[in-house]
């Protein structure tokens, strides 16, 4: 099965049962909240400066 087949299957299932969208939305929102909480804890005192230092350290900047 190709990736596009999974996309088409998901779209068909979503058409049949719209509650799948709500489940996906809740999952994404929970992940965003968790990431936000994690990074807020890591860079609490000076977010911008500490985030830049971290991103440079891991090679993202």
């Amino acid at each position: 099965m190709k990736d596009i087949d999974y996309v088409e299957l998901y779209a068909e299932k979503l058409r049949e049962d719209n509650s799948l969208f709500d489940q996906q939305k809740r999952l994404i929102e929970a992940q965003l909240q968790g990431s936000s909480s994690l990074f807020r804890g890591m860079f609490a005192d000076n977010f911008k400066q500490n985030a830049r230092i971290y991103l440079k350290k891991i090679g993202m900047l």
Side-chain angles (χ1 to χ4, degrees):
M1 210 176 212
K2 297 178 187 174
D3 288 343
I4 193 70
D5 294 333
Y6 288 108
V7 172
E8 289 174 356
L9 178 63
Y10 181 75
E12 289 172 13
K13 294 294 181 184
L14 189 59
R15 228 180 275 135
E16 295 169 10
D17 182 8
N18 200 21
S19 70
L20 293 174
F21 176 78
D22 292 331
Q23 290 174 359
Q24 195 72 19
K25 182 180 174 187
R26 282 194 305 269
L27 174 66
I28 292 168
E29 287 173 350
Q31 289 173 330
L32 283 172
Q33 189 177 32
S35 294
S36 175
S37 177
L38 172 71
F39 285 110
R40 209 173 319 125
M42 285 175 65
F43 311 127
D45 53 342
N46 189 350
F47 185 87
K48 270 188 174 180
Q49 183 179 9
N50 291 338
R52 285 185 180 138
I53 291 168
Y54 173 76
L55 291 173
K56 283 181 184 178
K57 187 171 125 181
I58 64 169
M60 296 289 291
L61 285 180

